[in-house]
Amino acid sequence: MTQSTDTARPTTLPFTAQAHPEEVFGEYVFEVTADTQAIEPVQGWTLRLWPQARLGDGTLEASTQGGTTLHDLLNELEAQHVRPLGPIHFKKHG
């Protein structure tokens, strides 16, 4: 099961394992560390958190809904004490 922030509810930690892995949908994929137990939705983004991470608390997938940049997303996450760990990978779809 994945946890997603495309609704008004926060995504909570710890993450639970996903029974049937789905295809990666996010344009950006990166590991995160979090000092919080709940990640609030970020306007303009669809987020999905995965329990698998080599060093962090989870892996975040992010897909923009337009109008905001990756820099905006990172600032919003930092305000919630969620930080990228390692490189941010861009996934081209199509």
Side-chain angles (χ1 to χ4, degrees):
M1 178 172 124
T2 59
Q3 306 245 343
S4 179
T5 62
D6 56 352
T7 66
R9 297 178 309 185
T11 300
T12 58
L13 300 173
F15 309 123
T16 56
Q18 184 180 3
H20 302 287
E22 299 173 31
E23 182 177 327
V24 171
F25 79 92
E27 286 129 52
Y28 300 98
V29 179
F30 52 98
E31 288 191 33
V32 295
T33 60
D35 294 342
T36 181
Q37 292 297 305
I39 299 173
E40 297 294 329
V42 176
Q43 186 173 356
W45 290 86
T46 299
L47 305 176
R48 183 166 58 178
L49 294 162
W50 296 85
Q52 297 85 8
R54 286 191 233 171
L55 302 173
D57 296 317
T59 299
L60 179 91
E61 291 180 70
S63 180
T64 183
Q65 297 164 356
T68 63
T69 66
L70 177 61
H71 182 72
D72 297 330
L73 171 65
L74 295 176
N75 285 339
E76 290 288 329
L77 291 174
E78 178 63 33
Q80 296 187 48
H81 305 282
V82 177
R83 291 166 299 283
L85 179 65
I88 297 174
H89 300 284
F90 178 76
K91 303 289 183 184
K92 186 174 182 176
H93 297 281

